[in-house]
């Protein structure tokens, strides 16, 4: 076969594109299958203040554009398509994108994780009609409106703070009696007079007509039910790893994150892992980028050893 590549990288967040930079500089001519929505979670973030090298911070999408250009400048080929099927348990791996098949000696899986849903009545019905998982994308639609963010982590606090740029009032609803977000981000949130935090409360239903008008709430301490009028609901309750397309060919933990030795090696020769699809602990852009670097160097050495 003369159409076998050295390496295919699946995913185009910080992990996948950093792997591409390293693989391209190692002259492996990587192909990145980026997904129809490329760039990963940073594409739905505003200012990233904790990625080294940017003392004033950098917007997530700008950071991703930069890493993509860097990978392309060294010769990475990138296609904005989704993998529809993959065959890993063979010497030459097959990556299917619809009817087209790409072949490679090695594969890096860097497909990241996707937002978790509440799975309550009305959530799907009012999706894009007031329900969203991306404040950066949809926040401007809620100018002078009332919105709710659900969740207690950094994402929820970040989204709630961001939404105060547009909304007149932002409720942050969390199911427990304390937030898990970092203290500095909580301080910013609590210092914002547009924000009201509602604790010990679960959202049971999204109500509306053609658009969201209210949420049905349940206080799990007092057992009281109530309705909160709102124009929007932003989900910020964590993520689910994008591993379904692998069809259980690689080892997964009970939450469906990939299991990999040293965060890199899968149980299959020539198949490596990078980023949030494996890392459910740190989940930072910089750790994902570092993991992409490790995976690419590991793949390069493995290819050399063949
Ligand atoms: P997370 O830390 O896992 O927090 C998820 C939150 O959603 C938790 O408060 C959790 O409640 C709640 N939750 C989960 N399932 C729920 C459900 N079914 N119903 C209601 N609430 C539910 O996720 P994250 O906030 O997306 O953050 C992920 C990682 O990215 C973290 O490591 C975080 O530090 C990082 N991050 C950093 C920044 C930054 O530094 N700028 C920004 C965003 C994210 P419990 O607390 O009760 O479990």
């Amino acid at each position: 076969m003369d159409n076998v590549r050295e390496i295919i990288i699946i995913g185009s967040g910080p992990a996948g594109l950093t792997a591409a930079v390293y693989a391209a500089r190692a002259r492996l001519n990587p192909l990145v299958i980026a997904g129809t929505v490329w760039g990963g979670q940073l594409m739905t973030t505003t200012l990233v203040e904790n990625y080294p090298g940017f003392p004033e911070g950098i917007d997530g999408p700008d950071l991703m554009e930069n890493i993509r250009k860097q990978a392309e400048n060294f010769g990475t080929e990138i296609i904005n398509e989704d993998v529809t099927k993959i065959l890993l348990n063979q010497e030459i791996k097959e990556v299917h994108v619809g009817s087209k098949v790409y072949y490679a000696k090695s594969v890096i899986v860097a497909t990241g994780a996707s937002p978790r849903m509440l799975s309550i009545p009305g959530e799907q019905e009012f999706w894009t009609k007031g329900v969203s998982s991306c404040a950066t994308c949809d926040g401007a639609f809620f100018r002078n409106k009332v919105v709710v963010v659900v969740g207690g982590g950094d994402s929820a606090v970040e989204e709630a703070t961001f939404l105060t740029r547009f909304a007149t009032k932002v409720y942050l609803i969390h199911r427990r009696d304390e937030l898990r977000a970092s203290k500095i981000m909580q301080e910013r949130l609590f210092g914002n007079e547009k924000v009201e935090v509602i604790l010990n409360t679960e959202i049971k239903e999204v109500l509306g007509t053609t658009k969201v008008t209210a949420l049905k709430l349940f206080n799990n301490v007092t057992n009281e039910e109530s309705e909160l009028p709102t124009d929007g609901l932003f989900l910020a309750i964590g993520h689910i790893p994008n591993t379904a397309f692998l069809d259980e060919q690689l080892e997964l933990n009970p939450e469906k994150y990939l299991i990999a030795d040293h965060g890199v090696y899968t149980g299959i020769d020539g198949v490596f892992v990078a980023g949030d699809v494996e890392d459910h602990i740190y989940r930072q852009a910089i750790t994902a980028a570092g993991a992409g670097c490790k995976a690419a160097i590991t793949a390069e050495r493995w290819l050399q050893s063949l």
Side-chain angles (χ1 to χ4, degrees), residues 41 45 47-50 116-119 150-158 173-176 178-182 185 201-203 236-239 276 280-284:
Q41 293 175 58
T45 310
L47 196 63
V48 179
E49 293 177 313
N50 52 11
R116 186 187 303 282
M117 308 290 284
L118 283 170
S119 303
V150 59
D154 283 333
S155 297
V157 169
E158 191 175 64
I173 296 182
H174 182 42
R175 62 186 178 184
R176 287 189 300 119
E178 61 174 2
L179 305 179
R180 70 165 65 230
S182 59
M185 291 177 74
T201 298
E202 297 164 28
I203 301 174
I237 56 169
H239 293 86
D276 289 14
H280 50 93
I281 297 173
Y282 298 105
R283 297 187 290 198
Q284 300 298 298

Side-chain angles (χ1 to χ4, degrees), residues 153-187:
D154 283 333
S155 297
V157 169
E158 191 175 64
E159 302 241 315
T161 307
F162 175 74
L163 285 165
T164 60
R165 294 187 196 182
F166 309 102
T168 49
K169 174 96 185 171
V170 179
Y171 293 97
L172 183 105
I173 296 182
H174 182 42
R175 62 186 178 184
R176 287 189 300 119
D177 62 353
E178 61 174 2
L179 305 179
R180 70 165 65 230
S182 59
K183 291 289 175 263
I184 188 163
M185 291 177 74
Q186 287 195 39
E187 281 164 22

Side-chain angles (χ1 to χ4, degrees), residues 17 38 43 59-72:
L17 290 180
W38 80 275
M43 299 300 273
D59 277 336
D62 292 343
L63 179 59
M64 293 319 301
E65 283 286 353
N66 287 350
I67 307 177
R68 182 177 177 135
K69 272 189 211 139
Q70 195 175 351
E72 285 174 331

